[in-house]
Amino acid sequence: MPNPTKVRRSVVATVQEVLPQMGLAYATDHDDRQWGITRCTQGGTLDGLQQGTRVTLTIEDHGPFEVASGWAPLT
């Protein structure tokens, strides 16, 4: 079965929680959708993230689901 074309978009989100031991952070966008950022997500390291940090997320739409595939801190 062929993969559908990925559709990418950007959203601004605020970090709600950082779990460095797990390599995971959670961020919420303006629509109150929660997104996971892992140590494998393209972007910076999770070391610099703190609660309240605003980030830009790259969201990939795969049809039945969406995933944050990249992130960068807002400057």
Side-chain angles (χ1 to χ4, degrees):
M1 179 182 320
N3 284 341
T5 303
K6 297 177 196 171
V7 177
R8 291 189 174 122
R9 63 187 170 92
S10 293
V11 299
V12 173
T14 303
V15 174
Q16 301 299 316
E17 187 172 9
V18 181
L19 305 167
Q21 302 87 351
M22 298 181 71
L24 182 63
Y26 294 101
T28 303
D29 67 17
H30 293 293
D31 293 326
D32 287 328
R33 293 184 72 181
Q34 292 191 342
W35 300 97
I37 302 169
T38 71
R39 66 177 137 244
C40 296
T41 305
Q42 290 181 355
T45 64
L46 297 181
D47 297 337
L49 283 181
Q50 300 176 16
Q51 184 177 5
T53 301
R54 290 173 39 95
V55 295
T56 301
L57 300 174
T58 301
I59 306 300
E60 288 186 4
D61 185 342
H62 292 265
F65 65 93
E66 295 180 310
V67 64
S69 63
W71 72 276
L74 274 178
T75 56

